[in-house]
């Protein structure tokens, strides 16, 4: 009847049969008749999969909030407690004992016990337990030993407070949860993947957890941040108290050893030295960073040495390591716990709150149990005193039956039990009959009274503790902190990281070529058809301007089309508002000529923009780029056939304001322009900018790497002195690269006088000379020590440079050291002068003394000033 209601097809016959069976079953059940229906695979899957998912969540992957343990961890600790005799046990024996309670084999138990041991909290270890820094595994279970720590014995076990259940085979009892009196879950941290959910609670600091519980008991709100056993630095600004959606950025601790070496002393949590080194090698092979070699000297402490090639700044390399390797990792917490036999998503504050309340409740139950024991002890001690002092034991001498004995003692006690706190039971009387005659004969009433008074004092104290339970719990945590806090100080430094732009620190390991006529730029162009634009990285962007007034920014690739007849192309720096572009263009075919100054601090990639008004036939007459907004003067040549009175005139770009790229610009002529030539480049027209010098790169920068040279603007310049004994004056373009061998870099001051001590090879002696620096010679190296065989020893631009000189041992004696003011030693002469001989004795060491009262000596001016040992082997 049910089937006939719907036309039967091949597709729905199964569903119709299932419906009919169920309807028949429902009908027969009303008649109290059972029909056993066939069960489909889908129905079995629905039930069985739910059972499996629940089992994995509750019994394997997610910890219980009560004790912070997964079942395998709880069973291991329970087994170790059963074996505990104060000595170490073979881990293999512990595994065997744990298998009494854990039905999943020895491998999972071995992994779990090693994980617990490496946390150095609940288990004391002996032997090779692996290395959390290197990732080396532990030795086999038969070779390593373990025992419960004193902390674990203090906070975890109390059989009276433990709820017990039958083990999987029914042969033993195991705890449902352990009565843990400490936020163990937060101290250890946990990770687990279940069906449909996962948990990741990061480890926290023992001391901070104790103090956090104390604050909660005091009614305050604690601040909790993770603390990782591997140390490192971490940014917790997005931690969100460990809730889902939070994030923690963790970095290795990298320290510069010198200008060519970096040392990693702490690795990020969740990584090892091996995985870290692999990530660095891979980044180097892909050309993202440049390293010369890497050494792993890790033993007890982490030590990874990274040797840098020449010209690579340690500061830039540090940022690059954070950007491209596992020196920085991101961890997403997910605080999921089992509470009331169900998974719950919460945060670490709630977990700490629950743990603190549980500790307080457990302490209360322990006090109540101890109070009951003491009161029972007081009751029997008092009863015993009455029994012996009143010689009630003599009343049973003539009793012939057990019942008569009990009655005789009971009758004898009745006149004396008014002060007891509870009634005397038959069990109490039985215990009195078990007192030995020897004890009765040696009974000391005075000592018995003292013992009873001690019990009364203890009972009074416990009642007081129960009355002030919060203060008692605070004292418990303070005692725990005092007893176990030493050596558990925070290892991870909490800080806020600056964002490292990957493109800014990527190593320029590729060559970028340009075909201006065809409009292609890329790393894969044929050298015969193109010209070298410069070095680049795979993360760089290129900006290119074409003769029709359009431009585009795109990512570096093998071959990218930007537009035909490129007039200017360069690596594009986003956010750069100092690079200023000067442009003179014709607005449409036969249109007027306009001039404009603009910058391009931001742009959408792979989109063509028009710098003209957009008319057909527009053409660029002149285009230049100035990294510091330098003023430029140009000469404009008009067409010879035009009707203009002045066919050649000058134009100053400095008269124009720097506007956006979409501005039309200022009209400079209505006549046709034949050509435009650059007349001069003036000083910067932008606001002052702080310039830094990085000795490792031998280059200027504005990213605060190296030594600050001060604020620069206009036509201010930089003095650079080289080890080879020559100097040059340059502008303050942050892209200036001076290379290695720089002795001194500083802001050029008016009327600068340079004082020099150098070794003259022909004379085999050291000479002193002083000369004025010519500020008019720019971009050209000026030699000041002559013969290439001569060697520069000391150079200074101080007005009163002082040197300390120590001499080699002469034939008869060692000359005394001298301090010499070079400004008094010799007058200012020409740059080509030889100078005066420093001494008739051979110097052993020459040291430049910095005069703190000399205003010419400023921080960062002389990055290499200091002691020069000329003969280190003889020092």
């Amino acid at each position: 009847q049910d089937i006939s209601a719907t036309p039967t097809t091949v597709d729905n016959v199964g569903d119709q049969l299932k419906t009919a069976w169920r309807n028949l079953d429902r009908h027969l059940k009303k008649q109290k008749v059972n029909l056993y229906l066939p069960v489909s695979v889908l129905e079995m899957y629905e039930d069985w999969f739910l059972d499996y998912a629940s089992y994995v969540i509750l019994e394997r992957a997610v910890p219980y909030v009560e004790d912070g343990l997964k079942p395998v961890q709880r069973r291991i600790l329970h087994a170790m407690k059963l074996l505990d005799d104060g000595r170490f046990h073979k881990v293999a024996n512990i595994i065997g004992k744990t298998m009494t309670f854990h039905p999943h084999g020895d491998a999972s138990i071995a992994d779990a016990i090693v994980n617990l041991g490496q946390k150095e909290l609940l288990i004391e270890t002996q032997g090779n337990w692996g290395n959390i820094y290197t990732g080396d595994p532990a030795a086999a279970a038969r070779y390593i030993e373990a025992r419960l720590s004193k902390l674990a014995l203090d906070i975890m076990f109390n059989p009276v407070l433990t709820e017990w259940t039958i083990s999987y085979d029914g042969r033993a009892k195991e705890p449902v949860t352990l009565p843990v009196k400490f936020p163990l879950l937060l101290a250890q941290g946990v990770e687990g993947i279940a069906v449909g959910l996962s948990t990741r609670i990061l480890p926290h600091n023992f001391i901070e957890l104790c103090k956090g519980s104390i604050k909660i008991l005091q009614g305050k709100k604690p601040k909790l941040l993770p603390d990782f056993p591997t140390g490192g630095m971490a940014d917790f600004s997005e931690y969100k108290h460990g809730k889902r959606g939070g994030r923690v950025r963790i970095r290795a601790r990298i320290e510069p050893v010198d200008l060519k070496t970096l040392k990693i002393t702490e690795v990020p949590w969740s990584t090892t030295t091996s995985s870290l080194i692999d990530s660095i090698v891979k980044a180097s092979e892909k050309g993202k960073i440049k390293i010369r070699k890497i050494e792993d000297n890790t033993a007890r402490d982490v030590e990874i040495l990274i040797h840098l090639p020449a010209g690579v700044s340690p500061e830039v390399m540090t940022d690059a390591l954070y950007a491209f390797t596992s020196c920085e990792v991101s961890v997403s917490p997910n605080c999921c716990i089992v509470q009331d036999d169900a998974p719950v998503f919460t945060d670490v504050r709630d977990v700490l709150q629950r743990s603190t309340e549980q500790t307080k409740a457990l302490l209360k139950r322990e006090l109540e149990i101890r109070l009951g024991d003491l009161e029972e002890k007081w009751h029997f001690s008092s009863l015993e005193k009455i029994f012996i002092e009143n010689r009630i034991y003599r009343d049973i001498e003539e009793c012939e039956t057990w019942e008569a004995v009990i009655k005789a003692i009971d009758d004898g006690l009745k006149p004396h039990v008014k002060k007891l706190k509870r009634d005397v039971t038959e069990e109490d009387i039985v215990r009195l009959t078990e007192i030995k005659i020897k004890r009765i004969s040696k009974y000391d009433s005075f000592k018995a009274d003292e013992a009873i008074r001690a019990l009364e004092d203890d009972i009074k104290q416990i009642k007081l503790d129960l009355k002030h339970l919060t203060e008692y719990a605070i004292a418990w945590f303070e005692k725990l902190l005092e007893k176990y806090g030493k050596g558990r100080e925070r290892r991870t430094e909490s800080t806020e990281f600056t964002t490292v732009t990957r493109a800014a620190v990527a190593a320029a390991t590729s060559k970028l070529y340009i075909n201006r006529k065809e409009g292609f730029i890329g790393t894969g162009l044929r050298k015969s058809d193109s010209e070298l634009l410069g070095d680049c990285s795979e993360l760089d962007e290129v900006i290119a301007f074409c003769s029709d007034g359009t431009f585009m920014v795109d990512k570096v690739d093998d071959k990218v089309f930007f537009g035909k007849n490129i007039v200017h192309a360069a690596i594009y720096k986003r956010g750069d508002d100092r690079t200023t572009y000067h442009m003179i263009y014709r607005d449409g075919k036969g249109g007027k000529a306009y001039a404009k100054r603009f910058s391009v601090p931001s742009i959408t990639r792979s989109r063509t923009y028009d710098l003209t008004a957009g008319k057909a036939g527009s053409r660029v007459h002149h285009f230049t780029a100035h990294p510091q907004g330098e003023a430029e003067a140009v000469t404009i040549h008009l067409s010879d056939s035009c009707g203009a009175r002045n066919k050649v005139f000058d134009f100053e770009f400095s008269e124009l304001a720097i506007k956006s790229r979409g501005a039309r610009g200022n009209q400079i002529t209505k006549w046709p322009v034949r050509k435009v030539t650059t007349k001069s480049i003036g000083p910067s027209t932008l606001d002052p900018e702080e310039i830094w010098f990085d000795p490792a790169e031998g280059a200027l920068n504005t990213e605060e790497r190296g030594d600050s040279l001060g604020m620069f603007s206009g036509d201010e310049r930089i003095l650079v002195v080289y080890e080879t004994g020559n100097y040059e004056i340059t502008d303050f373009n942050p892209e200036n690269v001076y290379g290695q061998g720089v002795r001194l870099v500083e802001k050029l001051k008016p009327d600068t006088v340079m004082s020099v001590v150098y070794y003259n090879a022909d004379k085999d002696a050291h000479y002193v000379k002083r000369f004025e620096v010519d500020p008019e010679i720019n971009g050209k190296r000026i030699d000041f020590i002559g013969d290439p065989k001569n060697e520069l020893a000391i150079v200074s631009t101080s007005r009163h440079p002082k040197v300390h000189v120590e001499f080699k041992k002469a034939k008869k004696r060692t000359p005394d050291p001298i301090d010499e003011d070079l400004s008094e030693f010799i007058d200012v002469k020409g740059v080509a002068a030889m100078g005066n001989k420093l001494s008739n004795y051979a110097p052993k060491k020459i040291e430049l003394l910095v005069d703190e009262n000399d205003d010419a000596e400023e921080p960062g001016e002389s990055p290499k000033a200091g002691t020069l040992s000329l003969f280190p082997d003889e020092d």
Side-chain angles (χ1 to χ4, degrees):
Q1 183 179 358
D2 291 325
I3 294 177
S4 63
T6 304
T8 302
T9 65
V10 175
D11 295 330
N12 69 8
V13 65
D15 294 336
Q16 291 191 24
L17 285 171
K18 186 187 295 184
T19 302
W21 273 108
R22 286 176 175 168
N23 290 340
L24 179 60
D25 181 51
R26 192 180 301 113
H27 172 72
L28 292 175
K29 282 182 178 178
K30 291 180 180 179
Q31 306 300 324
K32 298 184 179 180
V33 177
N34 291 324
L35 177 66
Y36 296 95
L37 294 176
V39 181
S40 68
V41 174
L42 178 62
E43 290 171 323
M44 290 189 296
Y45 178 79
E46 287 175 351
D47 294 337
W48 293 354
F49 184 76
L50 183 60
D51 292 341
Y52 169 73
S54 300
Y55 164 75
V56 172
I57 293 171
L58 301 178
E59 298 294 330
R60 296 187 71 174
V62 183
Y64 279 63
V65 69
E66 286 81 5
D67 58 9
L69 298 170
K70 297 180 182 181
V72 64
Q73 296 172 328
R74 186 179 305 112
R75 289 162 180 163
I76 288 170
L77 295 169
H78 174 57
M80 293 184 70
K81 176 60 176 173
L82 295 177
L83 293 172
D84 182 54
D85 58 2
R87 296 183 295 175
F88 285 96
H89 291 268
K90 289 284 186 182
V91 169
N93 294 339
I94 298 173
I95 292 173
K97 186 66 175 179
T98 306
M99 290 179 70
T100 306
F101 313 103
H102 195 65
H104 298 291
D106 61 327
S108 62
I109 299 173
D111 291 341
I113 195 172
V114 169
N115 182 269
L116 280 173
Q118 288 180 341
K119 295 180 186 297
E120 300 180 347
L121 197 66
L122 302 177
I123 297 178
E124 292 182 16
T125 61
Q126 189 165 272
N128 177 15
W129 280 69
N131 191 318
I132 60 172
Y133 301 120
T134 63
D136 294 335
R142 60 186 179 275
Y143 297 124
I144 56 178
E145 299 177 331
R147 68 181 176 191
L148 289 172
S149 67
K150 293 180 180 179
L151 173 65
L153 294 171
D154 278 354
I155 68 172
M156 298 194 69
F157 302 101
N158 189 327
V160 180
L161 299 181
T162 304
E163 180 184 355
W164 300 92
T165 186
I166 300 299
S167 64
Y168 69 95
D169 60 0
R171 291 188 175 94
K173 290 193 308 179
E174 64 173 306
V176 176
T177 59
L178 291 171
V180 177
K181 302 186 292 293
F182 176 75
L184 182 63
L185 176 57
L186 299 180
Q188 291 195 131
V190 68
E191 289 187 49
I193 299 176
V195 180
L197 58 83
S198 65
T199 183
R200 192 175 209 177
I201 300 174
L202 305 183
H204 292 70
N205 182 262
F206 177 89
I207 296 174
E208 293 174 3
L209 288 174
C210 290
K211 291 181 177 179
S213 292
I214 292 172
K215 284 188 176 181
I216 288 176
L217 292 168
Q218 292 172 340
K220 303 176 184 178
K221 291 184 178 180
K223 182 181 180 182
L224 282 183
L225 295 177
D227 183 28
F228 305 110
T230 53
M233 303 176 293
D235 184 346
F236 300 111
S237 57
E238 300 178 45
Y239 181 48
K240 297 182 179 179
H241 308 292
K243 292 191 290 188
R244 283 187 296 179
R247 185 179 71 140
V248 175
R249 295 164 60 196
I250 315 169
R251 286 181 175 178
R253 190 176 297 279
I254 305 176
E255 302 171 353
V257 178
D258 50 44
L259 293 178
K260 295 184 178 179
T261 312
L262 294 174
K263 180 169 69 173
I264 298 176
T265 57
E266 294 175 358
V267 298
W269 185 69
S270 75
T271 67
T272 63
T273 55
S274 300
S275 63
L276 190 66
I277 290 172
D278 288 344
S279 70
I280 294 173
V281 172
K282 288 180 181 178
S284 177
E285 291 174 347
K286 292 180 179 179
K288 295 179 179 178
I289 62 175
K290 287 182 179 179
I291 63 172
R292 188 161 56 86
K293 67 175 181 177
I294 187 168
E295 295 180 46
D296 186 6
N297 299 328
T298 300
R300 183 173 182 178
D301 299 317
V302 173
E303 183 179 308
I304 301 174
L305 296 179
I306 302 173
H307 299 273
L308 310 180
V312 175
S313 168
E315 295 182 29
V316 174
M317 176 55 70
T318 300
D319 289 341
L321 290 172
Y322 290 143
F324 298 112
T325 73
S326 297
C327 288
E328 178 179 324
V329 297
S330 180
V331 176
S332 298
N334 183 15
C335 189
C336 179
I337 56 174
V338 173
Q339 180 181 327
D340 299 328
D341 290 329
V344 175
F345 290 95
T346 181
D347 60 45
V348 297
R349 294 175 302 178
D350 181 61
V351 173
L352 183 62
Q353 179 78 35
R354 292 175 183 275
S355 173
T356 304
E357 292 173 355
Q358 175 179 289
T359 300
K360 184 177 177 181
L362 289 172
L363 291 173
K364 179 181 179 182
R365 291 178 61 191
E366 285 183 347
L367 287 173
E368 290 172 344
I369 292 170
R370 190 176 169 208
L371 177 61
D373 292 341
L374 289 174
E375 288 179 338
E376 281 297 307
K377 193 172 182 180
W378 179 89
H379 173 78
F380 187 74
S381 296
S382 300
L383 202 61
E384 183 184 58
K385 181 175 176 10
I386 296 170
F387 180 71
I388 295 174
E389 289 184 347
N390 294 282
R391 304 179 183 274
I392 298 174
Y393 54 87
R394 290 185 175 181
D395 297 343
I396 65 175
E397 293 177 351
E398 298 180 358
C399 295
E400 298 180 354
T401 63
W402 178 252
E403 289 78 8
V405 170
I406 298 297
K407 187 176 185 308
I409 295 174
D410 187 30
D411 292 341
L413 291 174
K414 282 181 180 179
H416 309 286
V417 296
K418 295 180 181 179
K419 293 183 179 181
L420 297 180
K421 298 178 181 179
R422 67 171 176 83
D423 296 334
V424 178
T425 64
E426 184 176 343
E427 183 181 351
D428 294 333
I429 297 174
V430 171
R431 287 185 63 188
L432 291 174
T433 63
E434 295 173 352
I435 299 175
K436 295 180 180 180
I437 296 298
K438 184 178 180 180
R439 182 176 176 184
I440 294 175
S441 63
K442 292 185 176 182
Y443 187 77
D444 188 331
S445 180
F446 178 74
K447 288 184 178 180
D449 289 340
E450 281 188 339
I452 291 174
R453 279 195 294 270
L455 289 173
E456 289 173 347
D457 291 341
D458 291 342
I459 290 172
K460 183 179 179 181
Q461 181 62 48
I462 291 177
K463 288 182 177 179
L464 183 65
D465 291 338
L466 284 170
K467 188 175 180 180
H468 300 87
L469 188 60
T470 299
E471 291 79 0
Y472 179 78
I474 291 174
W476 157 265
F477 280 110
E478 288 175 344
K479 183 178 179 181
L480 203 65
L481 189 58
E482 180 183 356
K483 191 174 181 181
Y484 300 107
K486 187 177 181 180
R488 301 183 186 274
E489 292 77 13
R490 167 169 279 275
R491 299 182 183 180
T492 305
E493 179 186 348
S494 176
T495 183
E496 288 193 13
F497 299 153
T498 56
T499 302
V500 178
T501 306
R502 293 166 66 93
V505 297
T509 56
S510 301
K511 300 292 184 182
L512 189 64
Y513 295 91
I514 179 173
N515 186 326
R516 296 183 183 274
K517 184 177 180 181
E518 297 299 326
F520 289 99
I521 300 176
T523 57
L525 298 182
R526 291 188 301 178
K527 297 180 182 179
S528 57
D529 299 335
S530 55
E531 61 179 280
L532 179 64
L533 191 60
D535 296 331
C536 69
S537 74
E538 62 179 16
L539 300 179
D540 279 335
E541 294 177 310
V542 180
I543 186 169
F545 300 85
C546 298
S547 60
D548 61 355
T550 61
F551 81 98
M552 184 175 75
V553 173
D554 212 333
K555 192 175 180 181
V556 167
D557 209 334
D558 287 346
K559 186 177 182 180
V560 181
F561 180 73
F562 285 83
K564 291 190 175 183
N565 299 315
I566 298 174
V567 295
H568 175 77
I571 299 297
Y572 178 63
K573 298 179 181 179
R574 289 189 176 269
D576 179 14
D577 57 358
R578 296 190 71 85
T579 298
T580 306
Y581 301 99
H582 295 174
M583 175 178 168
I584 297 176
Y585 68 95
R586 181 185 68 201
D587 185 24
K589 189 174 182 180
K592 300 175 182 178
Y594 291 85
K596 60 191 292 186
R597 295 181 84 197
F598 63 95
S599 60
V600 188
S602 61
I603 205 73
T604 301
R605 188 192 295 170
S606 303
R607 177 181 172 184
T608 301
Y609 292 86
D610 200 335
L611 296 169
T612 70
K615 295 181 181 178
S618 296
R619 176 173 174 266
V620 174
H621 292 300
H622 176 77
F623 192 95
T624 54
H626 302 276
Q628 291 297 320
E630 290 84 350
E632 180 184 16
V634 296
T635 301
I636 300 175
H637 302 262
L638 302 181
S639 173
D640 294 335
S641 60
C642 72
R645 180 177 301 175
N646 296 324
K647 293 184 174 58
V648 178
F649 60 93
D650 295 336
F651 177 77
E652 294 281 352
F653 272 97
S654 59
E655 298 175 359
L656 300 179
I658 300 175
K659 297 185 177 180
S660 66
R661 53 180 169 77
R664 184 175 187 179
N666 292 10
Q667 179 182 330
I668 56 176
T669 181
K670 64 179 181 179
W671 305 105
V673 175
R674 180 165 59 87
K675 68 175 181 177
V676 179
T677 58
T678 298
K679 181 179 180 182
S680 64
I681 303 294
S684 172
T685 60
L686 303 178
D687 293 334
E689 181 178 32
E690 188 170 11
I691 301 297
W692 300 68
F693 174 73
D694 189 335
E697 288 184 319
L700 304 182
N701 67 85
T702 57
E703 287 79 34
E704 302 184 3
R705 299 193 308 271
D707 304 303
S708 175
L709 302 182
M711 303 297 292
F712 287 79
S713 64
D715 60 350
E716 292 181 318
R717 287 164 294 172
I718 290 175
L719 171 65
V720 186
V721 182
Y722 297 91
E723 297 278 7
T724 51
N726 43 54
Y727 75 88
E728 70 173 328
I729 298 172
T730 72
D731 58 20
F732 57 90
N733 186 346
E735 296 181 356
N736 287 352
V737 178
Y738 307 120
Q740 302 301 303
V742 174
R743 170 59 70 91
L744 180 145
V745 179
E746 65 181 29
K747 191 175 186 178
L748 181 64
K749 300 180 288 290
D751 303 324
T752 297
V753 174
M754 191 180 299
S755 302
V756 176
V757 179
Y758 72 100
Y759 172 72
N760 190 312
D762 289 339
K763 303 291 185 179
D764 191 23
H766 282 78
Y767 280 75
V768 180
K769 62 187 297 184
R770 302 181 74 228
F771 57 90
E772 289 187 1
V773 175
D774 189 349
E776 302 301 324
I777 304 177
N778 294 328
K780 179 182 177 181
R781 292 198 181 189
I782 307 298
D783 179 49
F784 57 81
I785 64 172
D787 196 320
K789 294 183 292 183
N790 297 344
E791 296 179 5
L792 179 63
I794 293 292
V795 60
S796 174
T797 59
S798 171
R799 288 181 295 180
H800 297 284
K802 296 179 181 179
V803 294
H804 173 77
V805 185
E806 297 178 9
F807 298 97
K808 295 170 63 178
K809 185 176 181 179
K811 291 182 179 180
K812 296 183 179 180
R813 68 181 182 88
T814 301
D816 294 333
I818 62 171
D819 291 339
E820 194 70 62
D821 186 340
L822 299 184
S823 64
E824 298 177 359
F825 186 84
I826 187 174
D827 293 333
V828 177
K829 299 181 181 180
V831 69
M834 179 184 295
N836 293 353
K837 193 174 183 180
L838 177 63
S839 174
N840 291 325
Y841 297 102
K844 178 182 179 181
K845 181 172 68 175
I846 305 177
E847 180 182 4
L848 179 63
L849 303 177
V850 178
D851 186 355
E852 296 181 355
N853 297 320
D854 193 337
D855 59 4
E857 298 291 340
E858 296 179 358
E861 284 193 350
S862 300
K864 287 204 171 184
T867 302
L868 175 69
S869 181
L870 302 176
F871 305 96
D873 294 339
E874 301 181 22
D875 194 356

